Amino acid sequence: MKKLVHFYTEEKQRLETELKETKNKLANLSILRLIVFVLTSAGIYFLFDTLRIVGVIGAVGVIVFGILLIKYLDAKESKILLITKIKINETEIRVLEGNFSFLKTGEEFIDPTHVYSNDIDLFGKGSFFQYINRTSTQQGAKELAKTITENHILSIDKKQEVLKELSQKVAWRQHFSALASLVTTRYSTKEILDFIQNYSAVFSTIISKLPTVFSLISIVLIALVSFAIIPFSILILWVFIGLGITAFFFKKTQEIYVQADKAKATFKQYYLLLQEIENRKFSSAKLQEKQQIIQSEKLQASVIFKQFSKILDAFDQRNNLLIAFVGNAFFLWDLRNAVKVEIWITNYKHTVKKWFEVIAFFDAQNSLANFQYNHPEYTFPKVQKQDAIIKAVGLGHPLLNSEKRIDNDLKIYDQEFFIVTGANMAGKSTFLRTVSLSIVMANVGLPVCAKSYIYSPVKLITSMRTSDSLADDESYFYSELKRLKFIVDTIDKDDYFIILDEILKGTNSKDKAIGSKKFIEKLVSSKSTGIIATHDVSLCELATDFSEIKNYYFDAEISNDELYFDYLFKKGVCKNMNASFLLKKMEII
């Protein structure tokens, strides 16, 4: 960890030095622009009688001022990028030091009905999502949430290749994130895509050509008036015709403008991101495949997005009164830009969604790759079909402090069930979440918190956190039964790794023991694999009846009137329970 903190600190210092230089450059460019303006104005003032020289001075001054302005705007953009990159490195330092509470929690993705996400704290405060999420776009965050919840077990080796490659492209990943952070969009990509994909053309072919024809006539009329070939009154009449046509189509152009304006910030942001993806060389087959998607048209996707961004910028100039009057009077400005928007949508509505998805994919994968880069000590699961589902050495939970965390070995074979007993606070629930999260991480291609991890891919399903529902007039026990029914129905369709924490908590002890035994017998007969934690040691008797069932436990020891936990996963049945001791110790009884 110290090496990583040192790396990000050095990178932050380098960027701060570059930022200081950029600020100096901005100050110098501002002074130069002022000097050029003063010299140009003075030259024009003192040489006003010499029109030819004044014209040259004015032209040179405008050109030089324009060049300096462009350089200034470029430097200003560089400054914003540098500030953003500095914040990115500051974030990594804080997270490596154990503070990630300031990151987005992903609470909007919490789903109590999901097969595992709510049980293992994937989302919410202090969640795995909060820990790993570095996405800069709304769609990227959704893609990341989807990736860690989709329960896909295919092509894990290809997923690992993607993360191994992207993890080493630190500068590129940070630049991509910084660019994605430049523009804050008010509208979701779903709203924008809905508009584009569902749009139907409102202008006929003849109407779409009208602005070009009208503009050519305007130029001819202006030229004829300039040479006094026709009277000025004809040009005035033409102005009213132009404004009249604009007014006639105002309702249609206004509707297009309102909808298209929602996409302006997004396209300005996204064409830069597409450019970064296009210009980078990737060796991973999956990343190359994504590049091919954005190269499916004659022009590069970034160029096409940039074109649309410029169209929307031009359309937005209708809010400038001078352009609104002159532009519509002589060039049908509103109609021209509305037609351009319509043509662009017609040409590319079939592929825009795919390009958005590519950007979201890279945004999400960059977060996963960042996690991998920050944990070089973690190991990529060795994926192979074998009798054992998991063979792990030194398996731990990635959100626990590595200096205090107790890791455990785990070897569980296909169609085996572990019944885990243990005292309160001995580590049963943490162990269940550790195993669950390791399966999720393995399935998305991430390295897991272990010294070694051999894995036969399997889907995960859990029942660890059930709650009642007053809104649905639903008791805790009934909620739990529904969850267990959901598990039974789900495992009937596919192979799953099942993790349960204390079955039938909502009923009496005798009924609970009988029901739990019957349920475990059903799970064993389903040919599934899993781990069940319980306080009911009577369930351990099932190991004598079923060879597939093995007993394990977490222990607690009372010494000198103090309770000690070693958090080690051991074979056998727990003998020491501590509820009564804790009640006395805390002076509850």
Side-chain angles (χ1 to χ4, degrees):
M1 188 186 79
K2 289 181 180 179
K3 286 184 179 179
L4 286 164
V5 171
H6 179 69
F7 167 78
Y8 287 119
T9 302
E10 280 195 335
E11 186 65 13
K12 176 175 171 283
Q13 291 171 347
R14 183 188 67 78
L15 291 166
E16 286 172 339
T17 301
E18 194 174 337
L19 176 62
K20 187 176 180 181
E21 293 172 356
T22 303
K23 286 180 176 179
N24 290 335
K25 184 178 180 181
L26 282 168
N28 293 335
L29 285 168
S30 295
I31 293 169
L32 284 173
R33 282 163 56 211
L34 179 61
I35 291 170
V36 168
F37 176 77
V38 171
L39 290 176
T40 302
S41 301
I44 292 172
Y45 178 79
F46 289 111
L47 300 170
F48 191 74
D49 292 335
T50 314
L51 291 178
R52 187 174 296 177
I53 296 175
V54 167
V56 171
I57 291 172
V60 171
V62 169
I63 291 170
V64 173
F65 188 87
I67 292 171
L68 291 173
L69 180 60
I70 291 170
K71 287 183 176 294
Y72 179 86
L73 293 174
D74 287 343
K76 189 175 180 181
E77 188 173 311
S78 295
K79 174 190 169 184
I80 296 170
L81 272 173
L82 288 168
I83 291 172
T84 306
K85 288 179 183 179
I86 289 168
K87 289 179 180 177
I88 287 172
N89 285 278
E90 287 174 343
T91 293
E92 297 309 324
I93 293 168
R94 290 176 69 183
V95 173
L96 286 169
E97 291 174 345
N99 177 16
F100 61 95
S101 60
F102 62 96
L103 297 174
K104 293 181 180 178
T105 64
E107 287 181 0
E108 65 271 28
F109 304 119
I110 293 175
D111 178 9
T113 65
H114 187 263
V115 286
Y116 57 74
S117 70
N118 197 47
D119 287 332
I120 63 174
D121 301 316
L122 272 193
F123 305 107
K125 190 175 181 180
S127 65
F128 185 64
F129 179 88
Q130 185 179 28
Y131 185 62
I132 68 170
N133 178 35
R134 303 293 189 277
T135 57
S136 299
T137 65
Q138 293 177 5
Q139 200 174 11
K142 289 180 181 178
E143 178 66 20
L144 179 60
K146 176 188 169 187
T147 300
I148 62 177
T149 56
E150 59 189 356
N151 223 8
H152 284 183
I153 61 174
L154 300 176
S155 305
I156 291 176
D157 55 338
K158 292 182 180 179
K159 296 173 185 176
Q160 290 179 356
E161 286 176 9
V162 168
L163 300 187
K164 286 175 182 177
E165 181 172 358
L166 288 178
S167 67
Q168 298 307 308
K169 300 183 187 297
V170 181
W172 183 83
R173 285 191 286 105
Q174 290 195 356
H175 187 65
F176 186 94
S177 295
L179 283 174
S181 303
L182 284 181
V183 180
T184 302
T185 55
R186 289 182 298 162
Y187 303 96
S188 68
T189 52
K190 184 182 182 302
E191 289 180 86
I192 295 166
L193 285 172
D194 285 345
F195 161 62
I196 292 174
Q197 292 181 311
N198 299 320
Y199 183 80
S200 298
V202 296
F203 297 116
S204 65
T205 305
I206 294 174
I207 297 300
S208 64
K209 293 178 180 179
L210 180 59
T212 301
V213 174
F214 192 89
S215 298
L216 291 173
I217 295 173
S218 295
I219 292 169
V220 171
L221 290 176
I222 291 169
L224 292 175
V225 169
S226 300
F227 290 103
I229 297 174
I230 61 172
F232 186 73
S233 58
I234 292 178
L235 191 62
I236 296 297
L237 178 62
W238 188 249
V239 166
F240 282 106
I241 292 173
L243 294 175
I245 294 172
T246 298
F248 181 79
F249 289 108
F250 178 78
K251 186 177 179 181
K252 290 181 179 179
T253 56
Q254 177 67 10
E255 287 176 358
I256 294 174
Y257 171 76
V258 169
Q259 292 298 324
D261 189 57
K262 295 178 181 179
K264 187 175 67 172
T266 298
F267 276 82
K268 186 175 288 186
Q269 175 189 36
Y270 276 26
Y271 91 76
L272 294 169
L273 299 178
L274 287 169
Q275 208 170 59
E276 285 300 311
I277 297 168
E278 290 165 348
N279 295 339
R280 194 70 188 183
K281 186 176 180 180
F282 297 109
S283 57
S284 161
K286 187 71 174 177
L287 295 178
Q288 289 177 353
E289 177 189 319
K290 295 298 179 181
Q291 275 187 318
Q292 288 299 315
I293 292 173
I294 61 174
Q295 293 169 355
S296 58
E297 301 293 323
K298 292 180 181 179
L299 294 173
Q300 289 184 314
S302 62
V303 173
I304 293 170
F305 268 44
K306 189 175 183 179
Q307 286 177 347
F308 196 48
S309 178
K310 287 185 174 180
I311 292 169
L312 298 178
D313 281 340
F315 206 172
D316 201 40
Q317 292 302 313
R318 73 201 299 262
N319 295 313
N320 182 307
L321 290 178
L322 180 62
I323 292 178
F325 179 79
V326 177
N328 285 314
F330 293 106
F331 307 107
L332 302 182
W333 188 262
D334 277 9
L335 183 59
R336 172 186 295 277
N337 287 301
V339 166
K340 284 183 177 181
V341 167
E342 191 167 89
I343 291 172
W344 190 95
I345 291 175
T346 302
N347 289 339
Y348 301 111
K349 65 191 298 183
H350 66 285
T351 192
V352 170
K353 185 173 185 288
K354 293 179 182 177
W355 294 345
F356 273 36
E357 288 172 351
V358 169
I359 292 170
F361 171 83
F362 275 91
D363 198 15
Q365 291 297 312
N366 280 347
S367 281
L368 297 176
N370 185 74
F371 173 87
Q372 194 250 304
Y373 182 80
N374 285 349
H375 297 87
E377 75 280 12
Y378 287 8
T379 182
F380 278 101
K382 186 177 181 182
V383 178
Q384 60 184 46
K385 281 290 181 182
Q386 54 177 358
D387 290 336
I389 298 296
I390 298 172
K391 287 182 184 177
V393 176
L395 180 64
H397 198 292
L399 298 189
L400 295 179
N401 188 320
S402 59
E403 295 178 2
K404 300 177 181 178
R405 185 185 68 223
I406 303 298
D407 299 334
N408 283 288
D409 298 344
L410 171 68
K411 184 187 289 185
I412 183 166
Y413 288 89
D414 186 28
Q415 298 183 29
E416 271 192 340
F417 267 91
F418 288 178
I419 294 180
V420 182
T421 52
N424 293 294
M425 304 186 299
K428 297 191 305 299
S429 296
T430 298
F431 180 72
L432 295 187
R433 286 179 171 82
T434 298
V435 176
S436 299
L437 188 55
S438 76
I439 293 173
V440 173
M441 293 169 71
N443 287 343
V444 301
L446 281 170
V448 298
C449 181
K451 293 177 181 177
S452 69
Y453 195 94
I454 302 173
Y455 177 55
S456 182
V458 65
K459 293 181 179 180
L460 174 68
I461 192 166
T462 65
S463 179
M464 300 167 64
R465 180 181 287 136
T466 308
S467 60
D468 55 3
S469 175
L470 293 175
D472 297 330
D473 192 23
E474 190 172 280
S475 70
Y476 179 92
F477 183 60
Y478 185 65
S479 295
E480 189 177 11
L481 289 179
K482 282 175 62 178
R483 183 68 179 182
L484 296 180
K485 178 69 166 69
F486 169 71
I487 290 174
V488 169
D489 291 343
T490 303
I491 64 175
D492 190 46
K493 302 168 189 173
D494 208 344
D495 293 334
Y496 280 84
F497 195 103
I498 305 166
I499 293 187
L500 308 176
D501 192 1
E502 205 63 55
I503 310 170
L504 304 178
K505 293 186 284 289
T507 189
N508 64 75
S509 299
K510 184 177 179 181
D511 203 25
K512 172 184 173 182
I514 296 170
S516 297
K517 285 181 180 179
K518 294 292 184 183
F519 185 70
I520 292 172
E521 288 173 9
K522 185 173 181 64
L523 293 181
V524 172
S525 65
S526 72
K527 308 301 182 184
S528 300
T529 308
I531 303 175
I532 301 167
T534 182
H535 286 98
D536 187 355
V537 294
S538 70
L539 296 181
C540 299
E541 296 169 4
L542 289 168
T544 59
D545 300 324
F546 296 91
S547 60
E548 299 94 335
I549 295 177
K550 304 290 188 296
N551 290 322
Y552 285 85
Y553 72 101
F554 285 91
D555 206 4
E557 291 185 4
I558 300 172
S559 178
N560 297 323
D561 200 35
E562 291 294 335
L563 193 61
Y564 295 95
F565 302 104
D566 58 17
Y567 302 110
L568 293 176
F569 187 55
K570 304 167 186 174
K571 196 163 188 176
V573 181
C574 181
K575 304 297 182 184
N576 300 324
M577 296 301 179
N578 60 5
S580 298
F581 172 80
L582 288 171
L583 287 168
K584 292 177 181 178
K585 186 72 176 175
M586 296 178 69
E587 298 181 353
I588 297 172
I589 59 174

